[in-house]
Amino acid sequence: MKAIYIWLVRFVSILHYFSSSKTKRVIYLMSFGNNLHFIAKLADELPDRERLLVLYRPSAEVEATELAALGIQVMPFQDNLHFVLEGIPKLMQAKLIFLR
C-alpha cells in the first residue's frame, strides 16, 4: 500500500510540476507547534504578492488555530489521498518551502 501511495505522490507531483499560480506561495510544513514566533514574523515580512500557507499535522492544531487568528492561512495534512490531491499541487507551486 505504501508503494502505491508513493507512486501516486510522484504522479501528481509530475502533473503539477510546470503549473503556475498568479500568487507565489511560501509554504511552512508544521509538524510541531513550537515555532509560532518565526511563522508570524515570516508572514509579516513577505511582500504583498506572496502568501504564506501553513500545512500542519493534527498534533499541532491548537497552534494552527492561533496562526489562523493572526490571519495566516492554515491547512491540515496527513499522509492520505486528500493530501495527495490537495496538498501536493500546492507544494509544487510553492516558491519556498520550510520544513519543521
Side-chain angles (χ1 to χ4, degrees):
M1 191 66 170
K2 186 175 182 178
I4 294 171
Y5 182 77
I6 291 172
W7 179 86
L8 190 57
V9 167
R10 286 182 184 168
F11 180 73
V12 172
S13 297
I14 290 169
L15 286 177
H16 293 280
Y17 182 73
F18 293 107
S19 63
S20 63
S21 175
K22 292 180 182 178
T23 304
K24 297 295 182 186
R25 279 190 200 269
V26 175
I27 295 181
Y28 187 96
L29 291 170
M30 183 170 67
S31 297
F32 307 100
N34 60 356
N35 209 4
L36 298 181
H37 178 69
F38 172 76
I39 298 170
K41 188 173 181 180
L42 175 65
D44 286 340
E45 293 183 5
L46 285 176
D48 290 338
R49 68 181 189 279
E50 295 180 3
R51 299 198 49 192
L52 177 64
L53 171 65
V54 177
L55 298 173
Y56 67 93
R57 291 277 189 189
S59 61
E61 187 170 0
V62 173
E63 292 83 1
T65 304
E66 291 178 30
L67 293 173
L70 295 174
I72 298 171
Q73 183 181 6
V74 296
M75 180 179 137
F77 81 95
Q78 295 178 355
D79 298 330
N80 56 21
L81 188 58
H82 181 265
F83 177 68
V84 171
L85 298 176
E86 296 290 325
I88 295 295
K90 288 180 176 35
L91 286 172
M92 295 306 295
Q93 295 172 355
K95 177 181 177 183
L96 181 63
I97 300 173
F98 289 94
L99 303 170
R100 175 89 168 132

